[in-house]
Amino acid sequence: MSIEKTWKDIDEQPDEVLASLLKPRVLHHLQTKSPLATIKKNMLINSIWALLIALGYLLIIIYFPFWQTRLCIGILFLFTVWAAYSTLLEYRNIRLSVPDNSLLEELERNYQNINRWIQQQKRAGIFIYPISAAGGFMLGGTVGAGKSVDEIMSKPVMWIALVIVTAILVPCGFYLAKWLTHRAFGRHLEVLKQNIEDLKK
Protein backbone atom coordinates (compact mmCIF):
# COMPACT_ATOMS: atom_id res chain seq x y z
CA MET A 1 0.00 0.00 0.00
CA SER A 2 1.43 3.35 -1.02
CA ILE A 3 1.90 6.25 1.36
CA GLU A 4 -0.41 8.39 -0.80
CA LYS A 5 -3.25 5.86 -0.52
CA THR A 6 -2.78 5.48 3.23
CA TRP A 7 -2.90 9.23 3.74
CA LYS A 8 -5.98 9.49 1.54
CA ASP A 9 -7.77 6.80 3.55
CA ILE A 10 -6.97 8.58 6.80
CA ASP A 11 -8.13 11.89 5.41
CA GLU A 12 -11.43 10.41 4.25
CA GLN A 13 -12.27 8.89 7.64
CA PRO A 14 -14.66 11.11 9.63
CA ASP A 15 -13.32 12.31 12.92
CA GLU A 16 -16.35 11.49 15.04
CA VAL A 17 -14.86 12.86 18.24
CA LEU A 18 -14.00 16.20 16.67
CA ALA A 19 -17.36 16.37 14.94
CA SER A 20 -19.19 15.75 18.20
CA LEU A 21 -17.17 18.44 19.96
CA LEU A 22 -17.98 20.93 17.23
CA LYS A 23 -21.72 20.55 17.70
CA PRO A 24 -23.12 23.88 18.97
CA ARG A 25 -24.78 22.30 21.99
CA VAL A 26 -21.57 20.58 23.10
CA LEU A 27 -19.53 23.73 22.53
CA HIS A 28 -21.92 25.72 24.68
CA HIS A 29 -21.82 23.05 27.36
CA LEU A 30 -18.01 23.05 27.47
CA GLN A 31 -17.76 26.83 27.48
CA THR A 32 -20.34 27.32 30.20
CA LYS A 33 -18.92 24.66 32.47
CA SER A 34 -15.41 26.11 32.37
CA PRO A 35 -15.94 29.33 34.39
CA LEU A 36 -18.15 27.54 36.92
CA ALA A 37 -15.56 24.81 37.39
CA THR A 38 -12.86 27.43 37.97
CA ILE A 39 -15.03 29.35 40.43
CA LYS A 40 -15.84 26.16 42.31
CA LYS A 41 -12.17 25.18 42.50
CA ASN A 42 -11.22 28.65 43.74
CA MET A 43 -13.94 28.49 46.38
CA LEU A 44 -12.45 25.28 47.74
CA ILE A 45 -8.96 26.82 47.81
CA ASN A 46 -10.38 29.94 49.46
CA SER A 47 -12.05 27.84 52.16
CA ILE A 48 -8.90 25.87 52.92
CA TRP A 49 -6.85 29.06 53.29
CA ALA A 50 -9.55 30.58 55.50
CA LEU A 51 -9.47 27.58 57.83
CA LEU A 52 -5.67 27.71 58.03
CA ILE A 53 -5.82 31.43 58.85
CA ALA A 54 -8.47 30.72 61.48
CA LEU A 55 -6.11 28.20 63.04
CA GLY A 56 -3.43 30.89 63.15
CA TYR A 57 -5.85 33.27 64.88
CA LEU A 58 -6.63 30.57 67.44
CA LEU A 59 -2.93 30.18 68.24
CA ILE A 60 -2.60 33.95 68.69
CA ILE A 61 -5.57 33.98 71.06
CA ILE A 62 -3.96 31.23 73.14
CA TYR A 63 -0.44 32.66 73.10
CA PHE A 64 -1.17 36.34 73.85
CA PRO A 65 -3.07 36.73 77.15
CA PHE A 66 -4.35 40.29 76.61
CA TRP A 67 -8.10 40.74 76.53
CA GLN A 68 -7.94 43.51 73.91
CA THR A 69 -6.07 41.39 71.38
CA ARG A 70 -8.13 38.34 72.27
CA LEU A 71 -11.31 40.29 71.62
CA CYS A 72 -10.17 41.60 68.24
CA ILE A 73 -8.56 38.36 67.08
CA GLY A 74 -11.52 36.39 68.44
CA ILE A 75 -13.89 38.40 66.24
CA LEU A 76 -11.56 37.81 63.29
CA PHE A 77 -11.52 34.10 64.10
CA LEU A 78 -15.33 33.91 64.12
CA PHE A 79 -15.56 35.91 60.89
CA THR A 80 -12.99 33.70 59.15
CA VAL A 81 -14.75 30.51 60.22
CA TRP A 82 -18.06 31.94 59.03
CA ALA A 83 -16.49 32.98 55.72
CA ALA A 84 -15.07 29.48 55.20
CA TYR A 85 -18.40 27.88 56.10
CA SER A 86 -20.45 30.13 53.80
CA THR A 87 -17.96 29.54 50.99
CA LEU A 88 -18.19 25.78 51.39
CA LEU A 89 -21.99 26.00 51.32
CA GLU A 90 -21.82 27.92 48.05
CA TYR A 91 -19.22 25.45 46.78
CA ARG A 92 -21.60 22.55 47.38
CA ASN A 93 -24.43 24.50 45.79
CA ILE A 94 -22.66 24.69 42.41
CA ARG A 95 -23.60 21.79 40.13
CA LEU A 96 -21.44 21.26 37.07
CA SER A 97 -23.43 18.42 35.50
CA VAL A 98 -26.95 19.42 34.51
CA PRO A 99 -29.29 18.36 31.69
CA ASP A 100 -28.99 20.47 28.54
CA ASN A 101 -32.64 21.52 28.71
CA SER A 102 -32.07 23.18 32.11
CA LEU A 103 -28.52 24.43 31.50
CA LEU A 104 -29.45 28.09 31.06
CA GLU A 105 -31.65 28.10 34.15
CA GLU A 106 -28.92 26.46 36.24
CA LEU A 107 -26.24 28.87 35.05
CA GLU A 108 -28.43 31.86 35.85
CA ARG A 109 -29.12 30.46 39.31
CA ASN A 110 -25.40 29.98 39.96
CA TYR A 111 -24.57 33.44 38.63
CA GLN A 112 -27.08 35.09 40.96
CA ASN A 113 -26.05 33.02 43.99
CA ILE A 114 -22.33 33.63 43.50
CA ASN A 115 -22.91 37.36 43.06
CA ARG A 116 -24.99 37.40 46.23
CA TRP A 117 -22.26 35.52 48.09
CA ILE A 118 -19.57 37.98 46.93
CA GLN A 119 -21.64 40.98 48.02
CA GLN A 120 -22.28 39.34 51.39
CA GLN A 121 -18.54 38.85 51.90
CA LYS A 122 -17.87 42.48 50.96
CA ARG A 123 -20.43 43.84 53.42
CA ALA A 124 -19.03 41.71 56.22
CA GLY A 125 -15.51 42.83 55.32
CA ILE A 126 -16.39 46.51 55.78
CA PHE A 127 -17.24 45.74 59.40
CA ILE A 128 -14.26 43.48 60.02
CA TYR A 129 -11.42 45.57 58.51
CA PRO A 130 -11.29 48.18 61.32
CA ILE A 131 -11.24 45.40 63.93
CA SER A 132 -8.47 43.67 62.02
CA ALA A 133 -6.42 46.87 61.82
CA ALA A 134 -6.88 47.65 65.52
CA GLY A 135 -6.06 44.10 66.58
CA GLY A 136 -2.99 44.00 64.38
CA PHE A 137 -1.80 47.35 65.70
CA MET A 138 -2.09 46.30 69.34
CA LEU A 139 -0.61 42.88 68.68
CA GLY A 140 2.34 44.42 66.85
CA GLY A 141 2.86 46.83 69.74
CA THR A 142 2.95 44.08 72.34
CA VAL A 143 5.37 42.00 70.29
CA GLY A 144 7.62 44.94 69.42
CA ALA A 145 7.73 46.59 72.83
CA GLY A 146 7.36 43.51 74.98
CA LYS A 147 4.69 45.25 77.05
CA SER A 148 1.01 44.73 77.72
CA VAL A 149 -1.66 46.44 75.65
CA ASP A 150 -2.63 48.62 78.64
CA GLU A 151 0.94 49.89 78.93
CA ILE A 152 1.25 50.57 75.22
CA MET A 153 -2.10 52.33 74.88
CA SER A 154 -1.62 54.44 78.02
CA LYS A 155 0.02 57.16 75.92
CA PRO A 156 -2.27 59.49 73.92
CA VAL A 157 0.10 59.38 70.95
CA MET A 158 -0.59 55.66 70.58
CA TRP A 159 -4.31 56.31 70.23
CA ILE A 160 -3.58 58.86 67.53
CA ALA A 161 -1.32 56.34 65.81
CA LEU A 162 -4.06 53.71 66.06
CA VAL A 163 -6.57 56.01 64.36
CA ILE A 164 -4.10 56.88 61.59
CA VAL A 165 -3.12 53.25 61.00
CA THR A 166 -6.76 52.16 60.92
CA ALA A 167 -7.67 54.97 58.51
CA ILE A 168 -4.89 53.83 56.16
CA LEU A 169 -5.26 50.07 56.43
CA VAL A 170 -9.06 49.83 56.14
CA PRO A 171 -9.27 51.25 52.58
CA CYS A 172 -6.15 49.28 51.61
CA GLY A 173 -7.69 46.09 52.94
CA PHE A 174 -10.97 46.78 51.17
CA TYR A 175 -9.39 47.37 47.77
CA LEU A 176 -6.97 44.47 48.17
CA ALA A 177 -9.87 42.14 48.98
CA LYS A 178 -11.81 43.55 46.03
CA TRP A 179 -8.88 42.90 43.68
CA LEU A 180 -8.33 39.37 45.00
CA THR A 181 -12.04 38.61 44.70
CA HIS A 182 -12.05 39.80 41.11
CA ARG A 183 -9.04 37.64 40.26
CA ALA A 184 -10.47 34.55 41.90
CA PHE A 185 -14.14 34.95 41.01
CA GLY A 186 -15.10 38.21 39.30
CA ARG A 187 -13.41 37.70 35.94
CA HIS A 188 -14.80 34.16 35.69
CA LEU A 189 -18.25 35.48 36.55
CA GLU A 190 -17.93 37.87 33.62
CA VAL A 191 -17.24 34.92 31.31
CA LEU A 192 -20.19 33.07 32.82
CA LYS A 193 -22.44 36.08 32.23
CA GLN A 194 -21.32 36.28 28.61
CA ASN A 195 -22.02 32.58 28.14
CA ILE A 196 -25.49 33.05 29.59
CA GLU A 197 -26.14 35.87 27.14
CA ASP A 198 -24.91 33.67 24.28
CA LEU A 199 -27.25 30.87 25.30
CA LYS A 200 -30.19 33.27 25.25
CA LYS A 201 -29.56 34.19 21.60
Side-chain angles (χ1 to χ4, degrees), residues 120-191:
Q120 185 183 51
Q121 298 277 329
K122 284 182 179 179
R123 287 193 295 269
I126 292 173
F127 165 75
I128 212 70
Y129 296 144
I131 297 174
S132 176
F137 179 85
M138 289 185 288
L139 183 62
T142 59
V143 173
K147 299 179 181 179
S148 68
V149 175
D150 288 330
E151 290 176 300
I152 293 171
M153 301 307 296
S154 62
K155 300 177 181 179
V157 67
M158 295 304 293
W159 286 99
I160 297 173
L162 174 60
V163 172
I164 294 173
V165 168
T166 302
I168 294 172
L169 290 183
V170 168
C172 291
F174 176 80
Y175 285 108
L176 177 61
K178 185 177 180 181
W179 178 75
L180 291 173
T181 300
H182 179 74
R183 280 189 60 85
F185 307 107
R187 57 180 179 169
H188 304 296
L189 267 182
E190 292 172 0
V191 176

Side-chain angles (χ1 to χ4, degrees), residues 102-141:
S102 61
L103 179 60
L104 177 59
E105 180 182 341
E106 183 67 16
L107 292 179
E108 288 181 325
R109 182 188 69 83
N110 280 309
Y111 179 79
Q112 293 171 1
N113 288 344
I114 295 168
N115 259 317
R116 190 181 304 115
W117 168 78
I118 289 175
Q119 295 305 318
Q120 185 183 51
Q121 298 277 329
K122 284 182 179 179
R123 287 193 295 269
I126 292 173
F127 165 75
I128 212 70
Y129 296 144
I131 297 174
S132 176
F137 179 85
M138 289 185 288
L139 183 62

